[in-house]
Amino acid sequence: MDSDTCDLLLDAAAADTTEWTERLALAWQQGNAEEQSRARHSLKGICGNFGMTLLFDRCAGTLAADEALQDLRDCRDASLAALRAAVSGLQ
């Protein structure tokens, strides 16, 4: 796979992961169980496709405290950085 395609996929993964993380956080804060379920499912699918296992595990956990939401976001950022570094090492 050429580097432009890799960059395109990484950008899409980052955008989707960010969108679904924030949708999950908002649904949790609003107490919207249906949207939580949808957001978790989508986020876990993205994580599974890109091997982001730590984030996969985090989005399955409870988000009852603000610290848990921040941990989810921090985990997302770390997972995306690790994914970019891994792909960069292959190019």
Side-chain angles (χ1 to χ4, degrees), residues 44-76:
K44 286 169 66 176
I46 296 164
C47 291
N49 287 337
F50 287 93
M52 294 185 281
T53 56
L54 185 59
L55 182 56
F56 183 97
D57 293 341
R58 286 290 196 300
C59 70
T62 183
L63 302 174
D66 288 341
E67 295 83 19
L69 289 174
Q70 188 57 50
D71 182 56
L72 180 69
R73 291 177 176 118
D74 291 345
C75 186
R76 174 202 58 210

Side-chain angles (χ1 to χ4, degrees), residues 12-29 35-47 52 54-56 58-61 63 66-80:
D16 288 348
T17 302
T18 298
E19 175 186 348
W20 287 107
T21 300
E22 293 311 311
R23 287 178 74 167
L24 176 56
L26 181 61
W28 184 271
Q29 290 168 332
E35 184 62 22
Q36 285 178 54
S37 178
R38 181 180 299 114
R40 283 180 198 273
H41 178 77
S42 295
L43 185 54
K44 286 169 66 176
I46 296 164
C47 291
M52 294 185 281
L54 185 59
L55 182 56
F56 183 97
R58 286 290 196 300
C59 70
L63 302 174
D66 288 341
E67 295 83 19
L69 289 174
Q70 188 57 50
D71 182 56
L72 180 69
R73 291 177 176 118
D74 291 345
C75 186
R76 174 202 58 210
D77 295 345
S79 295
L80 289 171

